Amino acid sequence: MVGGAVAASLAVSTVIFTLLEHEGAQRLHLPLVRRTREPFDGAEALPGGWIGGDEGLEEAARRTLAETTGLRPSYLEQLYTFGRPDRSPTGRVVSVIYSALVRSPEAARVAEVHNVRWAPVDEVRGLAFDHDEVVAYALWRLRAKVGYAQVAVHLLGETFSLGQLREVHEAVLGRPLDPANFRRRVTASGAVEATDEHLTGGRHRPPRLYRAVVPEGATGPFQTTAGPAA
C-alpha cells in the first residue's frame, strides 16, 4: 500500500574476511554457510539469522555468527543495511550487515563443519538472496581502506614485515605489487613505523618488523560515507 505501513522482518548477516594460503599464495577468504532449508535450500550464504525481540543489532550479529561458524571476532563493524523489497522470496526482509577482519590463526581454529567452508573471495558467486552484492560491497569498502593501518593490525597483528604487509595489499586488491615501489610508498606514507625487532624463522636475513601508526580517533577499516542504494 503506497504511503502505508509495510510489515518487514529484521535480520543480520556478517561478512568476515581473513587471509589464508590457497594455491601457494595468501588470499582473502570468508566463511560461507550452506543453507539446509528453503528458500535457497542447498545454496551458500553469509552467516546470519533473525534478530530476537530482546536483542540489540550487534548482539544478534555476534550470536548468529557464533552459532553458524564458531567465530567470535574481537570487534564487529556495522557495514550497511540492505532492504530492497524483492531481496527475499518469502516477503520483505531488511538485513543489517556487519563486517570484520580476523587473523588467520583465529580462522584456523574454527574447524569446518558439514555446512560451513572458507572460500576465496574471488571465487564467491551464486550466493543466496543478494549476498553476492553484499560481499562485493564489503570488498569494495575494504579495498578503499586497505592503505589504512587498521587493516594491517586486524589481519596481521601488532607487528609485521613489509613483505607481509604487501601480501595483505595484494590479497585485498587482487593483483601483484612491485616490492620496491611498495616499500618506498609505504615507508613514505607515515602509516607504519619501524621497530627494533626482526622476523625470525626464515633462511635469509631476517626482515625488520613494523607497527601500524593508527591516528587517534580513527574509525574502523570499513568506515566510509558512500554506499549503494539498499
Side-chain angles (χ1 to χ4, degrees):
M1 181 173 62
V2 177
V6 177
S9 300
L10 190 60
V12 289
S13 293
T14 306
V15 185
I16 300 289
F17 291 121
T18 194
L19 285 181
L20 295 173
E21 188 167 328
H22 182 78
E23 297 179 350
Q26 292 290 315
R27 291 172 64 184
L28 206 61
H29 285 65
L30 78 169
L32 298 175
V33 178
R34 187 167 298 280
R35 290 181 57 80
T36 58
R37 61 183 181 275
E38 295 294 347
F40 303 108
D41 185 20
E44 290 184 315
L46 294 168
W50 302 112
I51 297 175
D54 59 349
E55 282 185 309
L57 296 177
E58 184 173 326
E59 182 183 2
R62 291 188 178 279
R63 174 184 58 80
T64 57
L65 186 62
E67 289 175 350
T68 54
T69 69
L71 283 167
R72 292 174 172 82
S74 58
Y75 91 106
L76 286 176
E77 196 170 308
Q78 192 173 128
L79 184 68
Y80 206 68
T81 299
F82 284 74
R84 194 173 59 238
D86 62 349
R87 63 188 302 269
S88 173
T90 61
R92 186 71 184 268
V93 177
V94 175
S95 289
V96 180
I97 308 299
Y98 280 81
S99 194
L101 307 174
V102 297
R103 298 168 189 169
S104 54
E106 181 180 356
R109 287 196 296 269
V110 179
E112 293 190 0
V113 294
H114 71 283
N115 66 329
V116 178
R117 75 179 180 101
W118 288 98
V121 171
D122 55 0
E123 296 180 9
V124 171
R125 59 184 61 85
L127 300 182
F129 306 103
D130 56 357
H131 289 185
D132 283 353
E133 179 184 349
V134 174
V135 171
Y137 178 60
L139 183 58
W140 171 74
R141 287 268 287 262
L142 181 60
R143 284 174 172 167
K145 294 286 187 175
V146 69
Y148 285 37
Q150 299 97 307
V151 174
V153 170
H154 289 299
L155 285 175
L156 293 175
E158 297 302 321
T159 59
F160 41 82
S161 70
L162 291 183
Q164 291 172 326
L165 184 60
R166 177 169 51 83
E167 287 183 340
V168 168
H169 283 240
E170 290 177 336
V172 172
L173 297 174
R175 56 183 173 84
L177 300 172
D178 179 76
N181 287 340
F182 179 81
R183 172 181 288 272
R184 285 194 296 269
R185 180 168 57 84
V186 169
T187 53
S189 70
V192 299
E193 62 183 10
T195 72
D196 294 329
E197 303 173 58
H198 291 79
L199 186 66
T200 59
R203 293 180 297 175
H204 305 288
R205 180 182 177 182
R208 182 180 295 276
L209 292 177
Y210 290 73
R211 66 169 60 91
V213 177
V214 180
E216 184 177 354
T219 59
F222 291 91
Q223 291 299 311
T224 185
T225 56

